Amino acid sequence: MKQQYNVGIIGATGMVGQRFATLLENHPWFKVVVLAASPRSAGKTYEEAVGKKWVMSTPIPTEMKDIVVMDATADIEKIAEKVDFVFCAVDMKKDEIKVLEEKYAKAEVPVVSNNSAHRFTPDVPMVVPEINPQHLEIIAYQKKRLGTKKGFIAVKSNCSIQSYVPALSPLRDKFGIKQVLACTYQAISGAGKTFETWPEMVDNLIPYIGGEEEKSEQEPLKVWGTIENGEIVKAQSPIITTQCLRVPVSDGHTAGVFVSFDKKPTKEEILETWANFKGEPQELDLPHAPKQFIHYFEEDNRPQAKLDRNLEGGMAVSVGRLREDTLFDYKFVCLSHNTLRGAAGGGVLLAELLAKKGYFD
């Protein structure tokens, strides 16, 4: 890998784009040289384009304030000349995002996407870096389809599954899983909102998030899938059913998880498996990798979004309340930071893994 890569953020003015900007400030490997957004932002400095829409708790990164925003759609060729790869977090219709990301890839720009548009494209890897890094091998097949030498698309999974799939994955590998019920309680930042912009969510709960339950039931099966004949084939098991609720929390998605195993482990075996679980990001000591991926809390009232979402820079997963269940074998509660581990942070970690493995060279 190179010592430094020039990168762009496509969709830089939105909430996830802003999060990418803050995470990439002073990054040891990645230097932001391009910020791109819609035509109405193009031609303005980043500070002018974002204006009062900046919602991060830290200021706009100094080195990005005066970067002139480019047009994400019209300036692809110009952007391609400046960058080694881009992060994509645009707010567009799914079909438009598919076309846009393929245009970047065909312009020989690797795309690390936060968007859902390509998550079920058979030769696009959808990677949780600690769980299925082997899926990056599909990129060679994708390049053949696209006719590219360097350009490709890699995506991160939906933010909701980042809370509970990391806890299930090592258990699935070791004991086999038959059935999963997961109820997710999702923060308003997952909708790109704050309490100031969405006052209706104060003292409220909405029992529906469009498309979220389908994603939560199907995406884990692709993450656990296998590469066969140039495609990622979804796993056949376990059976997963979900309910996804929007709750009045600023950041942090919580999941209540119920699971039945092929071979029921003891509680001690589960806790030991979580404590020892490491992936390639930990082994490679990637800049944004949490030292301990899964943290288990013994207290009955943990994890809590307000207390635990920022654990290890918001990149760790918190688990608690493991106990036997009357219908399933076990139940427990999980938490992850939805705009860090679940969105931009997961994208940055994926890019670090891609860089370390030479995919941007």
Side-chain angles (χ1 to χ4, degrees):
M1 61 177 285
K2 297 196 296 189
Q3 286 190 318
Q4 189 174 73
Y5 296 87
N6 290 333
V7 307
I9 304 172
I10 313 302
T13 56
M15 183 179 281
V16 177
Q18 292 177 29
R19 181 68 81 181
F20 271 123
T22 61
L23 290 172
L24 294 170
E25 184 177 18
N26 302 317
H27 192 283
W29 303 349
F30 305 149
K31 181 183 179 183
V32 176
V33 298
V34 166
L35 299 168
S38 65
R40 64 180 176 273
S41 296
K44 300 175 183 176
T45 66
Y46 188 47
E47 189 173 30
E48 291 169 343
V50 173
K52 294 180 180 179
K53 294 185 294 181
W54 185 260
V55 295
M56 298 293 108
S57 58
T58 54
I60 298 172
T62 305
E63 66 268 29
M64 300 181 205
K65 280 183 178 181
D66 296 326
I67 294 179
V68 176
V69 176
M70 301 180 76
D71 188 318
T73 303
D75 292 334
I76 293 175
E77 290 184 12
K78 294 177 184 177
I79 292 169
E81 293 173 358
K82 295 174 177 283
V83 301
D84 293 302
F85 71 94
V86 297
F87 294 99
C88 190
V90 293
D91 183 12
M92 299 165 63
K93 293 177 181 177
K94 189 173 284 190
D95 289 345
E96 294 173 348
I97 294 172
K98 272 191 170 185
V99 171
L100 182 70
E101 291 182 342
E102 285 210 356
K103 282 183 177 178
Y104 275 97
K106 288 178 178 178
E108 300 295 356
V109 179
V111 178
V112 179
S113 178
N114 186 73
N115 302 302
S116 65
H118 275 292
R119 286 185 192 151
F120 283 102
T121 302
D123 59 8
V124 171
M126 180 174 68
V127 175
V128 180
E130 285 88 351
I131 296 172
N132 61 328
Q134 71 277 11
H135 282 189
L136 297 180
E137 296 169 14
I138 199 73
I139 288 171
Y141 295 95
Q142 185 193 145
K143 286 179 179 177
K144 285 182 183 177
R145 174 176 64 85
L146 296 174
T148 59
K149 293 181 179 179
K150 184 183 174 186
F152 63 87
I153 302 161
V155 302
K156 51 153 292 299
S157 68
N158 191 38
C159 53
S160 67
I161 78 165
Q162 304 273 346
S163 58
Y164 60 90
V165 167
L168 291 172
S169 288
L171 303 179
R172 181 178 180 270
D173 292 342
K174 202 167 182 179
F175 307 109
I177 292 178
K178 291 190 289 189
Q179 294 177 317
V180 174
L181 163 62
C183 294
T184 61
Y185 306 89
Q186 301 185 203
I188 62 173
S189 57
K193 304 285 189 178
T194 64
F195 286 117
E196 288 73 27
T197 61
W198 201 4
E200 297 86 353
M201 274 307 301
V202 176
D203 191 32
N204 195 17
L205 181 151
I206 299 175
Y208 174 72
I209 306 171
E212 202 74 4
E213 285 157 5
E214 294 86 346
K215 294 174 190 173
S216 298
E217 292 171 359
Q218 293 301 314
E219 287 190 19
L221 299 177
K222 181 172 180 180
V223 170
W224 291 327
T226 55
I227 296 175
E228 299 176 23
N229 301 316
E231 296 185 350
I232 298 171
V233 178
K234 290 191 299 182
Q236 293 300 303
S237 63
I239 297 168
I240 304 172
T241 185
T242 65
Q243 289 222 89
C244 301
L245 294 78
R246 189 72 71 193
V247 295
V249 172
S250 58
D251 293 299
H253 287 356
T254 300
V257 184
F258 302 77
V259 57
S260 290
F261 294 94
D262 294 334
K263 178 187 174 186
K264 184 179 177 180
T266 64
K267 181 177 179 180
E268 290 70 28
E269 286 175 320
I270 293 174
L271 293 175
E272 182 184 7
T273 301
W274 284 337
N276 294 329
F277 183 34
K278 292 183 178 179
E280 286 192 13
Q282 287 72 37
E283 293 166 0
L284 297 171
D285 195 25
L286 299 179
H288 277 84
K291 300 300 180 189
Q292 179 69 37
F293 185 30
I294 298 174
H295 289 249
Y296 185 79
F297 288 90
E298 295 286 353
E299 300 92 331
D300 286 337
N301 63 347
R302 303 282 287 278
Q304 294 182 28
K306 201 167 187 177
L307 297 178
D308 304 313
R309 61 192 170 204
N310 290 313
L311 197 63
E312 296 216 42
M315 294 298 290
V317 173
S318 302
V319 186
R321 301 205 68 211
L322 174 66
R323 59 220 191 275
E324 292 196 51
D325 185 58
T326 52
L327 290 177
F328 292 77
D329 288 336
Y330 286 95
K331 54 190 170 187
F332 51 87
V333 175
C334 297
L335 168 73
S336 66
H337 196 303
N338 57 295
T339 70
L340 287 169
R341 166 56 73 166
V348 171
L349 186 62
L350 172 54
E352 291 169 354
L353 182 63
L354 288 160
K356 194 74 173 180
K357 288 176 169 288
Y359 282 93
F360 299 142
D361 299 335

